Amino acid sequence: MRKILYFLLIVFCIVGISLVNNERVHAAAPSATVKITTIETEVFDETFKQKVITLSKATPVIIISEADGWAKIQYKTVVGYIPSEYLKSATPQYMLVQAKEEPLVLVTNKHESEIKGKLHLNTIVEVYGSATADFVFVKYGRLAGFVNKQVLVKPVSKAMIVKSSADLVVREIASSSSTEIGVLRKNSPVKMLTNLKGWAFVTTDKLSGYVLTNGLVTPPVEKEKPVKVNPKPATDKKIALTFDDGPHPKVTRQILKTLEKYDAKATFFVVGQEVKEHPEILKAVYNAGHEIGNHTFNHEKLTTLSPEEIKQQIQSTDTLIKSTIGQRATVFRPPYGSYDETITDQLNVPNVLWTIDTLDWKHRDPEKTVLAVKERAKDGSIILMHDIHQATADALDEVLAPLQKQGYEFVTVSELLGK
């Protein structure tokens, strides 16, 4: 009997040690809080004397608990203590999960690391800290760890409002059984970043989380009567330079420098899929004082599409522009200049064509572009060019110099048309 008692005691000790060690590695699993280190700091063991690891500034860590000025944290597989004053709450960047299959959340930023869980496709996750070569630290509800940064894209926001019938509960993740983190009042404006199987991730200045999609509606828009044809241009020594199909990471920047040299303003009719790839270029164009026009999402010939497809081409681009620069496009140009009443009836801004087509997209020859403008430019001209071809950027200096000497002012389309 005594031998049996000794045996059970030994087993109990072994199990207890195993649980303690396991707790040290995985204790942070129930946590839903992430903070950022404010300085380079040492992490101590439970005696608060022996250093376990040193963390650099701006490292995201999972908070297990905080008491008496110390925070118990987990970083990768390490659990330890650092002074609470060395941590701060951080505003996360919201990113959309897009991949061929559900991406893995790992304990460390190594491909062979232990798996903590998976992220559902099209969910919004919180991103903290800077990306490493391949990984970034994310949190989704109570799941936090490292994922391959290639599976995350910047979401496109859509303006919505809470229905007037009832307040809307905001939850931590897309599940009716998840933690309630707040309530959105009736008619509250929100930005929707994803729509996932009846759940939408929304954000406001004070609250972000998942709500039931059927509790949201699109805000009413006062529709203005569209301009179905181009008004007669003004004729007071003004010319409108327009650039289609961008933004382009190299060509557009070169064009901006040349425009600045001549104190010229222009209108850029941008394509949605290019804005999605190069939002920083669109911001540079807008910040330089140029006008932004809508040129559809992927340059489809609109007269070959259904009314619903036309609406999607126009509205998705408009939404993407607004989420990037803070305002919607002020003019519209149909790809290939092809439009009809079905198209213009969906517009809330002027439909703008051109008076001079340089054909730069066809010949890709700077001299021919210069010649086309030289032979036909006059007061009120609207010149069509494309900021995706290097030859166009190379021609621009010789296009502008002689026109400026003749006393022309280079303005946006809206200014030319007196809007």
Side-chain angles (χ1 to χ4, degrees):
M1 183 66 179
R2 185 174 297 176
K3 291 182 178 180
I4 294 175
L5 290 175
Y6 281 137
F7 175 76
L8 291 176
L9 180 61
I10 292 171
V11 170
F12 178 78
C13 291
I14 293 173
V15 171
I17 293 171
S18 175
L19 289 175
V20 169
N21 289 337
N22 192 57
E23 189 271 344
R24 289 180 179 175
V25 176
H26 301 289
S31 176
T33 303
V34 173
K35 289 189 177 182
I36 305 292
T37 56
T38 57
I39 62 173
E40 182 179 297
T41 180
E42 295 180 340
V43 179
F44 296 93
D45 65 7
E46 56 191 11
T47 68
F48 299 97
K49 295 179 180 180
Q50 184 174 346
K51 184 182 78 170
V52 180
I53 192 176
T54 298
L55 299 179
S56 59
K57 181 180 179 182
T59 300
V61 296
I62 301 171
I63 304 301
I64 300 173
S65 62
E66 288 189 80
D68 301 324
W70 288 87
K72 186 178 183 181
I73 62 97
Q74 178 181 345
Y75 175 69
K76 297 183 179 179
T77 59
V78 173
V79 172
Y81 296 82
I82 61 175
S84 294
E85 63 180 311
Y86 294 166
L87 295 169
K88 68 174 181 178
S89 298
T91 301
Q93 179 184 9
Y94 295 115
M95 297 291 282
L96 180 67
V97 178
Q98 283 195 349
K100 292 182 179 179
E101 56 186 29
E102 294 183 337
L104 301 176
V105 180
L106 305 178
V107 174
T108 74
N109 55 347
K110 304 291 183 182
H111 290 284
E112 64 275 11
S113 174
E114 179 184 349
I115 298 172
K116 298 187 72 173
K118 291 183 178 181
L119 295 174
H120 295 301
L121 300 181
N122 296 318
T123 54
I124 293 292
V125 297
E126 300 173 8
V127 177
Y128 293 87
S130 306
T132 62
D134 297 312
F135 291 90
V136 65
F137 189 85
V138 306
K139 184 173 86 71
Y140 176 73
R142 297 182 179 275
L143 177 63
F146 293 87
V147 300
N148 192 316
K149 64 183 180 182
Q150 300 300 326
V151 305
L152 303 178
V153 299
K154 185 177 181 180
V156 177
S157 67
K158 180 179 182 181
M160 303 289 283
I161 58 174
V162 178
K163 284 183 177 180
S164 58
S165 54
D167 295 340
L168 198 55
V169 174
V170 183
R171 298 192 179 276
E172 190 174 38
I173 63 174
S175 170
S176 57
S177 61
S178 71
T179 303
E180 180 180 331
I181 59 176
V183 175
L184 292 172
R185 300 302 178 191
K186 303 172 185 177
N187 299 311
S188 299
V190 301
K191 291 182 179 179
M192 182 175 71
L193 303 187
T194 191
N195 187 342
L196 172 67
K197 297 180 181 180
W199 290 92
F201 184 90
V202 299
T203 182
T204 70
D205 291 339
K206 298 180 179 179
L207 186 63
S208 299
Y210 284 88
V211 300
L212 290 171
T213 307
N214 59 13
L216 303 173
V217 293
T218 303
V221 178
E222 185 177 348
K223 187 174 182 180
E224 300 177 3
K225 188 175 181 180
V227 178
K228 298 183 179 180
V229 295
N230 292 323
K232 184 178 179 180
T235 55
D236 55 352
K237 299 292 281 187
K238 291 182 179 180
I239 285 178
L241 305 168
T242 67
F243 298 91
D244 287 10
D245 298 356
H248 186 279
K250 179 183 176 183
V251 177
T252 303
R253 287 194 186 278
Q254 184 177 335
I255 286 174
L256 289 178
K257 289 181 180 180
T258 305
L259 293 173
E260 182 180 16
K261 175 181 177 181
Y262 291 91
D263 194 24
K265 298 304 177 188
T267 301
F268 289 77
F269 290 93
V270 298
V271 173
Q273 62 184 4
E274 298 303 321
V275 172
K276 188 175 181 179
E277 289 293 324
H278 310 292
E280 73 286 355
I281 307 298
L282 180 64
K283 290 178 183 177
V285 173
Y286 178 72
N287 291 336
H290 303 292
E291 184 173 30
I292 307 300
N294 186 328
H295 200 41
T296 73
F297 188 80
N298 56 8
H299 208 270
E300 292 277 352
K301 189 174 183 180
L302 296 182
T303 51
T304 66
L305 305 181
S306 68
E308 186 59 35
E309 289 173 327
I310 294 169
K311 180 179 179 180
Q312 179 64 23
Q313 284 281 332
I314 296 171
Q315 290 191 359
S316 62
T317 304
D318 216 25
T319 299
L320 189 55
I321 290 171
K322 188 175 189 302
S323 69
T324 304
I325 64 172
Q327 75 166 44
R328 300 184 186 279
T330 49
V331 285
F332 176 80
R333 173 173 285 169
Y336 312 102
S338 180
Y339 71 97
D340 55 25
E341 190 169 344
T342 301
I343 296 163
T344 55
D345 280 345
Q346 297 203 37
L347 298 179
N348 294 314
V349 295
N351 182 50
V352 177
L353 298 184
W354 55 84
T355 62
I356 298 176
D357 186 351
T358 62
L359 297 176
D360 60 336
W361 59 271
K362 185 176 183 180
H363 53 65
R364 313 285 179 89
D365 186 333
E367 292 184 3
K368 290 183 178 179
T369 298
V370 172
L371 184 61
V373 175
K374 180 180 179 181
E375 290 181 342
R376 301 172 59 190
K378 60 181 181 180
D379 297 337
S381 291
I382 300 176
I383 301 174
L384 169 62
M385 292 177 282
H386 297 78
D387 60 324
I388 60 172
H389 303 307
Q390 185 59 48
T392 302
D394 295 340
L396 191 57
D397 200 296
E398 293 186 44
V399 168
L400 300 184
L403 290 176
Q404 191 173 75
K405 288 181 180 179
Q406 295 172 44
Y408 285 104
E409 180 184 1
F410 307 108
V411 298
T412 65
V413 164
S414 290
E415 186 177 349
L416 183 71
L417 302 179
K419 295 295 177 181

